[in-house]
Amino acid sequence: MTETRNGRGESRVAHYERARRSRSLARWRQASVDAFNIVLAVGFVIGLAFFARPSASGVEMRELTKFPSFSVEGFLDGSFTNDLSLWYADTYPLREPLVSADQWLESLYGIDTGTKMIGGNVVADELPPVEGEDQESSKPEGDEQTGDAEKTEEPAECEKVEVPTEDAMAADIQNKIMEGLYVDNGAAYSIYYFSDEAVKGYTSAINACAKALGDDAKVYSVLAPNNSAVLDDATLEKLGGTDQEQAIAYFNSLYDPSVGTVDSWAAIRDHKDEYVYFRTDHHWTQLGAYYVYLELCKEMDIEPIDLDEQESVRFDGFLGTYYSQIRDAAMAASPDYVEAHIPNGTNDMTYWDKDGSEIQASVITDVTGWNQASLYSTFIAGDEPLEHIHNPEKDDGSSVLVIKDSYGCAFTPLLVDNFEDVWVIDFRYSDENIPEFVREHKIQNVVFVNNISLAGTLTVGDKLASMM
C-alpha cells in the first residue's frame, strides 16, 4: 500500500505531527503573551495603590523620594515628569521584594569567589600637594605627584549657592557610598575618590562658619575616613582611588587657622586590627569613633572619658547598608554587632523631627527586636534634624554643637560626659542658620563630624554653605 504524501513530500502522519506541534507552539506563545499581559496589568494596578506606597526604606535606611511639586515651568522643561518617574519607581509598593528577588537571581550566575569590585569606574581629581609634606616619601612608588610642595591655597570664601533638595542630596550621598566597593569574604570596603571642587566647597562652608562666629565659638573639623582605612598598604595600592591620609591633610590645609583639626587617619590606622568599622555597613563602630574622639579631646584640651567606666550594651545580627545593596551571602552568614556605651551623666535626650514635633528619647536606645538593618539607630535615635542632650551632672555652662551626617550618631554620645549641653544638627534635614543658632543658645564649641566621601560631595558643601 502506497503511503499518501502531500505536495511538500510529507507523509500524512508527518503532516499531522507538524500541524500538532505548530498548534502547540502557538498555544504556548499565546499563553506567554497572556501571562505577560497579566503581569503588566497586576503591576499597573499595584502601582496605582498610592495609599500603599512607602515613605521610607527600612532596608536601605533612608527616606524615599517625595511626590514632586507641580509647576508650569517644571512641566514645560521636563523636570516635573522626570521627578514624577523617579518618585514612581522609588516608592513602588513591591520595590524591596522585587529588588531582593533580582539580587537573588543575579547571585545564581557564575561563581562567587568572595572577592569582587562593585562600581569603581570613577576618575578622581589629582590631589594637590600640601605645604610642608614630604611628597617623595608619602606617595607610593611610581606616583606622578612628586616634587617640591606647592604653597597651600588661602582658605576659599563661601559663595552663594543654590540649595540642593533633600532628595537630590540623598541620591548624591547614596551614589558616593556605593560608587566603589571592594568586597572580600563577607566584608565591603569603600574606596575614596577625591573631587577638588567638592572639597573646596565643604571647607569654604566651614571657614564661613568660623568667620561668622569669630570669638563667639571655636570651630572644629572631624573627618571620618572610609573603612578601607583598615586594609593593608598593598591592597590599598591595588585598589586605586585617592590616598585618604593625604586627602584629609589637604582638607585640613584649606581651613582657616582658627579651625581646629584632628589626624583622624592616624587615629584609625593605629587601631586598624580592632573592630573600628562594620563589615556589612559603611559606618564606623563606636570604638572607631572613640579613637578619633581622643584626638579631638587633645585639640579641645579636655579630659577624655574612659569607655571602661561606662555601661555598655551589645546588639547582634546587624546587616547594614552594604548588605542591603548587594545581598552578599557571606555577609548574611556573618553579620555585624553594634556595641554602644551609655554616658554616665544621662541617657535622656530630646529631639525635634521633620514636622517640628518634640520627642523624648534616649542617647543609647535598646534596639532589641528591631530589624537587622536598623541596629545603628541605637545611637541618638538615628538621624534627626535637631537634638539636645542636657547633662545634669555638669554645672559649668559648657556646650557643644555637633554638625553631622550619620557618622556623627556614634560619635555624639562620647561628648555627653564632657559638656553640660550637647546640641546636634543633621544638616541634611535642617535649614537652621548655624551661626545664629550658636549665638542664640550661647554654644561655645562647634564640631563638624562627617565622612570624608560625603564631605567631598558637591551637594553637601552647597547645603552647608546655605546654612552659614
Side-chain angles (χ1 to χ4, degrees):
M1 181 176 178
T2 304
E3 186 176 34
T4 304
R5 296 180 177 273
N6 62 16
R8 300 174 62 178
E10 293 177 312
S11 68
R12 185 185 299 273
V13 173
H15 172 71
Y16 286 145
E17 180 62 24
R18 184 172 64 83
R20 186 189 66 79
R21 288 200 300 267
S22 178
R23 288 193 298 272
S24 178
L25 181 60
R27 285 196 297 270
W28 275 108
R29 285 175 175 170
Q30 185 60 48
S32 299
V33 171
D34 292 342
F36 181 72
N37 287 334
I38 290 172
V39 170
L40 285 180
V42 171
F44 177 74
V45 171
I46 292 174
L48 292 177
F50 294 99
F51 61 89
R53 286 184 174 271
S55 59
S57 170
V59 172
E60 297 179 33
M61 292 174 285
R62 67 179 179 90
E63 289 206 354
L64 301 177
T65 304
K66 297 182 180 64
F67 190 88
S69 300
F70 177 82
S71 68
V72 174
E73 181 182 0
F75 180 77
L76 293 176
D77 65 18
S79 60
F80 173 77
T81 53
N82 287 337
D83 291 344
L84 185 64
S85 176
L86 177 61
W87 164 82
Y88 184 89
D90 204 34
T91 62
Y92 189 78
L94 295 180
R95 176 180 176 274
E96 289 189 359
L98 290 172
V99 170
S100 297
D102 177 67
Q103 291 168 334
W104 176 77
L105 285 172
E106 288 182 356
S107 70
L108 299 179
Y109 290 92
I111 300 173
D112 189 350
T113 63
T115 301
K116 54 195 170 188
M117 280 295 300
I118 297 175
N121 298 318
V122 181
V123 178
D125 291 345
E126 183 178 0
L127 183 64
V130 178
E131 183 180 14
E133 201 175 77
D134 184 354
Q135 303 299 315
E136 296 287 349
S137 61
S138 61
K139 290 298 291 179
E141 189 175 331
D143 195 289
E144 297 178 1
Q145 211 175 90
T146 58
D148 295 334
E150 299 175 6
K151 188 180 187 315
T152 305
E153 300 177 33
E154 291 295 319
E157 292 292 328
C158 186
E159 301 178 358
K160 291 290 184 182
V161 296
E162 182 178 349
V163 183
T165 65
E166 189 176 307
D167 290 338
M169 187 163 48
D172 203 9
I173 288 173
Q174 183 72 8
N175 289 337
K176 273 291 182 183
I177 292 172
M178 300 299 297
E179 72 181 0
L181 289 185
Y182 169 64
V183 182
D184 182 38
N185 294 319
Y189 304 92
S190 184
I191 312 304
Y192 172 65
Y193 301 98
F194 172 75
S195 166
D196 192 52
E197 182 183 1
V199 168
K200 287 178 179 175
Y202 180 83
T203 54
S204 66
I206 293 181
N207 286 334
C209 183
K211 181 178 180 180
L213 289 173
D215 295 331
D216 292 338
K218 173 71 174 178
V219 175
Y220 301 87
S221 173
V222 174
L223 282 170
N226 284 343
N227 66 342
S228 55
V230 303
L231 295 173
D232 60 83
D233 292 333
T235 302
L236 281 174
E237 189 170 351
K238 288 178 184 177
L239 294 175
T242 304
D243 186 314
Q244 290 190 79
E245 180 180 20
Q246 294 193 18
I248 291 172
Y250 181 67
F251 266 92
N252 290 344
S253 75
L254 295 181
Y255 292 128
D256 184 90
S258 65
V259 176
T261 61
V262 300
D263 187 356
S264 54
W265 173 263
I268 290 292
R269 196 72 176 162
D270 290 346
H271 300 274
K272 66 184 180 69
D273 295 328
E274 300 177 43
Y275 192 48
V276 291
Y277 285 95
F278 299 113
R279 300 164 57 256
T280 71
D281 187 78
H282 70 285
H283 296 105
W284 54 11
T285 66
Q286 195 171 42
L287 181 62
Y290 177 73
Y291 288 128
V292 177
Y293 156 83
L294 293 178
E295 296 302 309
L296 178 63
C297 288
K298 292 178 185 176
E299 181 69 20
M300 299 181 80
D301 195 24
I302 59 176
E303 187 70 24
I305 60 168
D306 185 344
L307 284 185
D308 292 336
E309 296 178 357
Q310 293 184 336
E311 178 187 352
S312 66
V313 292
R314 172 171 164 160
F315 307 104
D316 294 308
F318 177 43
L319 293 172
T321 50
Y322 293 147
Y323 176 76
S324 72
Q325 294 295 314
I326 62 179
R327 299 296 174 117
D328 185 81
M331 290 183 180
S334 182
D336 284 299
Y337 66 87
V338 176
E339 185 172 25
H341 296 263
I342 301 173
N344 294 322
T346 184
N347 196 38
D348 297 328
M349 62 170 282
T350 304
Y351 72 84
W352 290 262
D353 64 17
K354 294 178 183 179
D355 296 325
S357 300
E358 181 177 323
I359 300 171
Q360 301 304 310
S362 299
V363 178
I364 302 299
T365 301
D366 185 345
V367 293
T368 302
W370 290 30
N371 68 63
Q372 289 180 297
S374 301
L375 299 191
Y376 189 71
S377 294
T378 187
F379 302 109
I380 63 171
D383 298 320
E384 297 296 341
L386 177 63
E387 300 170 300
H388 179 224
I389 306 164
H390 176 73
N391 180 1
E393 298 297 315
K394 302 281 286 187
D395 190 24
D396 56 5
S398 58
S399 57
V400 62
L401 168 64
V402 178
I403 310 293
K404 71 163 191 78
D405 60 24
S406 54
Y407 267 71
C409 293
F411 193 92
T412 298
L414 302 170
L415 296 168
V416 172
D417 285 336
N418 293 118
F419 296 93
E420 182 176 348
D421 288 288
V422 177
W423 292 89
V424 184
I425 290 178
D426 192 318
F427 65 88
R428 297 169 296 175
Y429 312 115
S430 173
D431 294 317
E432 291 279 0
N433 181 289
I434 293 173
E436 289 180 4
F437 185 89
V438 170
R439 292 193 184 93
E440 178 185 353
H441 296 279
K442 298 181 173 56
I443 298 170
Q444 302 149 354
N445 303 280
V446 178
V447 182
F448 289 82
V449 182
N450 294 294
N451 168 258
I452 185 173
S453 286
L454 274 61
T457 302
L458 286 170
T459 50
V460 167
D462 289 346
K463 181 60 187 296
L464 284 172
S466 73
M467 300 171 72
M468 303 306 167

